[in-house]
Amino acid sequence: MVSNIKKIGVFTSGGDSPGMNAAIRSVVRTCAYLKVDCVGIYRGYQGMIEGDFKPMDARSVNNIINKGGTILKSARCKEFRTKEGRKKAYEQLKSEGIDAFVVIGGDGSFTGAMIFNQEFNFPVIGIPGTIDNDIFGTTFTLGFDTALNTIVEAIDKIRDTASSHNRLFFVEVMGRDVGHLALNAGVGAGAEEILIPEENLGRERLLESLKRSKRSGKSSSIVIVAEGDKTGKNIFELKDYVEENFPDYDVRVSVLGHMQRGGAPSCYDRVFASRMGVRAVEALLEGKTNLMVGTIANELILTPIDIAIKGHTKIDKELIRVSDIMTI
Ligand code: ADP
């Protein structure tokens, strides 16, 4: 492969997700394989502005494929939102001899990369690292599968206590704008109801559903609530509403919180990260830029970053139907 790109930077930015380390490892090792230098950029755009760089060889990423979080650290950086901040970042990259970068992050990080590419004609490729699965142009984002497994494992445990005490549990999972985690985890964990931002079916329907389930002989139930669901003002208010209207149940709330982002990546995410890292480096060396690597029907696909961030991921209606059937 003949390319002008001799040194590639890699960094993680925005919210962390499991599998980011596996993606860093893949980018670093692919660079080593293709005899291109690789530099780790610490703390996302903040570290880029400050020149917080470290050369990475194939051995520098030993024993990280199984680790959650990100060895390069992640950060949010206000300064990069300004033209002056991005200019500083560009100067740092140039003085280090970095010709292109791979950004592992979510839509905010991609927006920054796209603007940077437009301003400085600097080659960038994105790897979608976010547990929310809210990026267009890929069926899955890196970390989504792991987060789902973490959530399902937690709900399985909550189910044990729910069924021992005839309790109704409201379990809040991440997802301010999208319900992919809630819907998939809800089906996987056998939830009674799944409340997501995309579909506000109303409180009455929730009560009806809980009554129906009680009549059908169920003595405990799990309701999954995405953070951004609008059925109640928040999950605690929803609990109060159900308790007032449905005194039969002992209602409890469990907010899973940040544990959903952590932990060792699943095998799927490790493989996915490895594939995307290879493709990202190859794409840069092929002269491609401003694209995101993703997967559709298990094929690796490159999507223009502007489409990836502007397009809306749709909730899987078929899965909603499956959930409705399962909760008969
Ligand atoms: P995520 O990548 O997980 O969506 P954020 O939305 O916090 O996370 O974005 C991460 C970083 O990307 C921000 O802290 C900022 O440095 C950069 N960024 C986000 N949006 C823009 C923008 N419009 N212009 C320039 N940089 C941006």
Side-chain angles (χ1 to χ4, degrees):
M1 233 179 277
V2 181
S3 165
N4 293 333
I5 293 173
K6 306 287 178 224
K7 199 184 261 192
I8 291 177
V10 58
F11 62 97
T12 48
S13 168
D16 64 312
S17 72
M20 280 182 158
N21 280 327
I24 295 167
R25 171 180 178 270
S26 173
V27 169
V28 170
R29 294 237 166 123
T30 306
C31 285
Y33 183 79
L34 296 172
K35 308 212 174 339
V36 178
D37 288 340
C38 189
V39 173
I41 301 168
Y42 283 84
R43 295 175 294 118
Y45 294 118
Q46 191 63 43
M48 193 183 286
I49 287 173
E50 293 169 16
D52 194 358
F53 303 141
K54 184 178 161 204
M56 301 190 81
D57 64 14
R59 296 282 72 78
S60 67
V61 287
N62 286 353
N63 300 322
I64 65 165
I65 192 167
N66 55 335
K67 300 271 192 314
T70 156
I71 58 159
L72 291 177
K73 313 282 182 197
S74 191
R76 296 203 155 90
C77 172
K78 272 197 186 151
E79 205 181 347
F80 197 78
R81 292 175 183 270
T82 67
K83 182 134 197 192
E84 301 75 55
R86 293 191 293 272
K87 189 157 180 293
K88 276 193 213 165
Y90 179 73
E91 282 159 6
Q92 292 283 11
L93 291 171
K94 281 287 116 186
S95 73
E96 182 73 18
I98 298 172
D99 306 307
F101 68 60
V102 176
V103 48
I104 307 165
D107 57 352
S109 305
F110 286 177
T111 306
M114 185 181 71
I115 295 171
F116 192 73
N117 166 266
Q118 286 157 358
E119 283 175 350
F120 301 102
N121 194 24
F122 193 89
V124 303
I125 295 279
I127 291 180
T130 163
I131 63 167
D132 292 328
N133 210 29
D134 58 349
I135 297 202
F136 191 77
T138 185
T139 316
F140 300 114
T141 54
L142 183 58
F144 178 61
D145 183 67
T146 304
L148 279 180
N149 284 304
T150 304
I151 295 169
V152 166
E153 203 179 310
I155 298 172
D156 285 349
K157 289 177 180 155
I158 290 170
R159 178 182 292 285
D160 289 344
T161 167
S163 60
S164 306
H165 295 277
N166 290 353
R167 275 179 184 153
L168 167 61
F169 259 93
F170 283 99
V171 182
E172 186 185 274
V173 304
M174 283 184 170
R176 266 190 221 117
D177 305 309
V178 288
H180 298 295
L181 279 174
L183 180 58
N184 284 270
V187 172
E192 197 53 46
E193 272 289 335
I194 303 166
L195 307 181
I196 53 177
E198 292 88 341
E199 298 230 319
N200 185 356
L201 300 174
R203 298 164 173 222
E204 292 69 29
R205 202 205 96 127
L206 174 64
L207 278 189
E208 261 325 298
S209 156
L210 293 172
K211 283 181 186 153
R212 199 186 54 226
S213 121
K214 190 94 178 165
R215 278 197 303 270
S216 76
K218 288 189 189 171
S219 57
S220 64
S221 287
I222 307 271
V223 175
I224 310 285
V225 187
E227 260 176 325
D229 172 66
K230 310 281 185 311
T231 312
K233 277 194 199 114
N234 58 52
I235 195 167
F236 295 99
E237 198 248 2
L238 201 58
K239 164 193 185 283
D240 292 345
Y241 172 78
V242 170
E243 264 178 345
E244 277 161 28
N245 289 280
F246 200 20
D248 290 15
Y249 264 129
D250 179 12
V251 190
R252 297 293 156 102
V253 167
S254 182
V255 177
L256 296 188
H258 279 82
M259 57 101 78
Q260 295 165 86
R261 280 187 195 279
S266 65
C267 182
Y268 178 87
D269 277 330
R270 297 180 199 193
V271 174
F272 186 32
S274 303
R275 294 177 71 203
M276 286 197 290
V278 171
R279 190 71 195 100
V281 172
E282 283 177 353
L284 284 173
L285 298 185
E286 286 161 12
K288 297 191 166 81
T289 182
N290 223 359
L291 298 167
M292 177 198 79
V293 188
T295 182
I296 294 176
N298 206 30
E299 292 274 321
L300 285 191
I301 304 281
L302 295 169
T303 302
I305 287 186
D306 62 329
I307 293 178
I309 53 186
K310 282 192 208 123
H312 287 286
T313 55
K314 290 210 175 72
I315 205 76
D316 185 349
K317 297 269 182 201
E318 206 249 341
L319 207 46
I320 295 179
R321 205 173 74 83
V322 168
S323 170
D324 286 345
I325 294 172
M326 290 305 108
T327 53
I328 179 90

Tab-separated table of all heavy atoms in Angstrom, residues 13-15 45 76-77 80-81 86 105-109 111-112 115, ligand 1:
chain	number	residue	atom	x	y	z
A	13	SER	N	-12.640	9.312	23.047
A	13	SER	CA	-13.189	10.629	23.380
A	13	SER	C	-14.651	10.502	23.800
A	13	SER	O	-15.361	9.597	23.374
A	13	SER	CB	-13.052	11.516	22.142
A	13	SER	OG	-13.782	12.697	22.261
A	14	GLY	N	-15.094	11.422	24.654
A	14	GLY	CA	-16.484	11.422	25.105
A	14	GLY	C	-16.742	10.304	26.102
A	14	GLY	O	-15.846	9.882	26.823
A	15	GLY	N	-17.971	9.805	26.128
A	15	GLY	CA	-18.317	8.730	27.067
A	15	GLY	C	-17.555	7.456	26.729
A	15	GLY	O	-17.436	7.112	25.563
A	45	TYR	N	-9.606	15.047	22.800
A	45	TYR	CA	-9.207	16.322	22.190
A	45	TYR	C	-8.408	17.200	23.159
A	45	TYR	O	-7.602	18.019	22.731
A	45	TYR	CB	-10.446	17.076	21.686
A	45	TYR	CG	-11.137	16.354	20.532
A	45	TYR	CD1	-12.444	15.898	20.639
A	45	TYR	CD2	-10.451	16.125	19.342
A	45	TYR	CE1	-13.062	15.239	19.583
A	45	TYR	CE2	-11.052	15.467	18.281
A	45	TYR	CZ	-12.363	15.020	18.413
A	45	TYR	OH	-12.958	14.366	17.366
A	76	ARG	N	-13.865	15.213	27.995
A	76	ARG	CA	-14.675	16.150	27.222
A	76	ARG	C	-13.866	17.450	27.191
A	76	ARG	O	-13.204	17.785	28.175
A	76	ARG	CB	-16.045	16.316	27.872
A	76	ARG	CG	-16.809	14.992	27.834
A	76	ARG	CD	-18.307	15.144	27.936
A	76	ARG	NE	-18.987	14.005	27.338
A	76	ARG	CZ	-19.334	12.888	27.995
A	76	ARG	NH1	-19.042	12.750	29.261
A	76	ARG	NH2	-19.962	11.915	27.373
A	77	CYS	N	-13.870	18.120	26.068
A	77	CYS	CA	-12.969	19.259	25.904
A	77	CYS	C	-13.698	20.436	25.275
A	77	CYS	O	-14.042	20.408	24.088
A	77	CYS	CB	-11.794	18.818	25.025
A	77	CYS	SG	-10.702	20.158	24.547
A	80	PHE	N	-11.898	22.461	22.300
A	80	PHE	CA	-11.907	21.940	20.934
A	80	PHE	C	-13.133	22.423	20.159
A	80	PHE	O	-13.177	22.362	18.932
A	80	PHE	CB	-11.853	20.405	20.949
A	80	PHE	CG	-11.461	19.805	19.633
A	80	PHE	CD1	-10.133	19.787	19.222
A	80	PHE	CD2	-12.419	19.268	18.778
A	80	PHE	CE1	-9.777	19.240	17.997
A	80	PHE	CE2	-12.069	18.722	17.553
A	80	PHE	CZ	-10.744	18.704	17.162
A	81	ARG	N	-14.120	22.911	20.891
A	81	ARG	CA	-15.319	23.447	20.217
A	81	ARG	C	-15.040	24.816	19.603
A	81	ARG	O	-15.859	25.345	18.872
A	81	ARG	CB	-16.480	23.553	21.213
A	81	ARG	CG	-16.975	22.187	21.674
A	81	ARG	CD	-18.040	22.327	22.739
A	81	ARG	NE	-18.466	21.017	23.219
A	81	ARG	CZ	-19.467	20.315	22.698
A	81	ARG	NH1	-20.149	20.799	21.696
A	81	ARG	NH2	-19.770	19.132	23.182
A	86	ARG	N	-9.016	24.162	18.100
A	86	ARG	CA	-8.739	23.179	17.040
A	86	ARG	C	-7.430	23.510	16.327
A	86	ARG	O	-6.687	22.617	15.924
A	86	ARG	CB	-9.910	23.116	16.055
A	86	ARG	CG	-11.177	22.537	16.694
A	86	ARG	CD	-12.241	22.241	15.661
A	86	ARG	NE	-12.778	23.427	15.034
A	86	ARG	CZ	-13.799	24.135	15.489
A	86	ARG	NH1	-14.412	23.780	16.598
A	86	ARG	NH2	-14.230	25.210	14.846
A	105	GLY	N	-15.231	7.051	19.540
A	105	GLY	CA	-16.130	7.822	20.402
A	105	GLY	C	-17.545	7.838	19.866
A	105	GLY	O	-17.901	7.048	18.986
A	106	GLY	N	-18.333	8.771	20.380
A	106	GLY	CA	-19.736	8.870	19.979
A	106	GLY	C	-19.970	10.025	19.026
A	106	GLY	O	-19.020	10.563	18.439
A	107	ASP	N	-21.214	10.448	18.901
A	107	ASP	CA	-21.535	11.441	17.866
A	107	ASP	C	-20.890	12.801	18.132
A	107	ASP	O	-20.520	13.498	17.183
A	107	ASP	CB	-23.049	11.550	17.634
A	107	ASP	CG	-23.821	11.893	18.880
A	107	ASP	OD1	-23.216	11.905	19.969
A	107	ASP	OD2	-25.025	12.152	18.769
A	108	GLY	N	-20.708	13.172	19.401
A	108	GLY	CA	-20.034	14.434	19.710
A	108	GLY	C	-18.594	14.406	19.209
A	108	GLY	O	-18.133	15.333	18.538
A	109	SER	N	-17.901	13.329	19.512
A	109	SER	CA	-16.501	13.194	19.086
A	109	SER	C	-16.409	13.184	17.561
A	109	SER	O	-15.474	13.745	16.983
A	109	SER	CB	-15.919	11.890	19.633
A	109	SER	OG	-16.070	11.850	21.029
A	111	THR	N	-18.522	14.675	15.524
A	111	THR	CA	-18.796	16.039	15.045
A	111	THR	C	-17.509	16.849	15.080
A	111	THR	O	-17.162	17.552	14.123
A	111	THR	CB	-19.874	16.723	15.925
A	111	THR	OG1	-21.013	15.875	15.965
A	111	THR	CG2	-20.272	18.079	15.384
A	112	GLY	N	-16.777	16.742	16.191
A	112	GLY	CA	-15.498	17.439	16.317
A	112	GLY	C	-14.537	17.020	15.215
A	112	GLY	O	-13.878	17.858	14.588
A	115	ILE	N	-15.558	18.483	11.752
A	115	ILE	CA	-15.235	19.913	11.641
A	115	ILE	C	-13.728	20.084	11.449
A	115	ILE	O	-13.271	20.858	10.606
A	115	ILE	CB	-15.731	20.676	12.898
A	115	ILE	CG1	-17.260	20.627	12.959
A	115	ILE	CG2	-15.237	22.123	12.900
A	115	ILE	CD1	-17.865	21.140	14.242
B	1	ADP	P1	-19.564	11.575	22.662
B	1	ADP	O1	-18.457	11.472	21.672
B	1	ADP	O2	-19.587	10.401	23.591
B	1	ADP	O3	-20.903	11.864	22.010
B	1	ADP	P2	-19.429	14.350	23.622
B	1	ADP	O4	-20.705	14.759	22.983
B	1	ADP	O5	-19.182	14.805	25.024
B	1	ADP	O6	-19.220	12.778	23.652
B	1	ADP	O7	-18.231	14.891	22.704
B	1	ADP	C1	-16.894	14.617	23.029
B	1	ADP	C2	-16.024	15.792	22.649
B	1	ADP	O8	-16.101	16.013	21.237
B	1	ADP	C3	-16.434	17.118	23.260
B	1	ADP	O9	-15.978	17.277	24.585
B	1	ADP	C4	-15.760	18.105	22.312
B	1	ADP	O10	-14.396	18.232	22.628
B	1	ADP	C5	-15.907	17.393	20.975
B	1	ADP	N1	-17.070	17.950	20.271
B	1	ADP	C6	-18.362	17.634	20.422
B	1	ADP	N2	-19.157	18.402	19.655
B	1	ADP	C7	-18.339	19.258	19.005
B	1	ADP	C8	-18.536	20.331	18.069
B	1	ADP	N3	-19.750	20.673	17.654
B	1	ADP	N4	-17.435	20.977	17.617
B	1	ADP	C9	-16.207	20.635	18.017
B	1	ADP	N5	-15.958	19.644	18.911
B	1	ADP	C10	-16.998	18.975	19.394
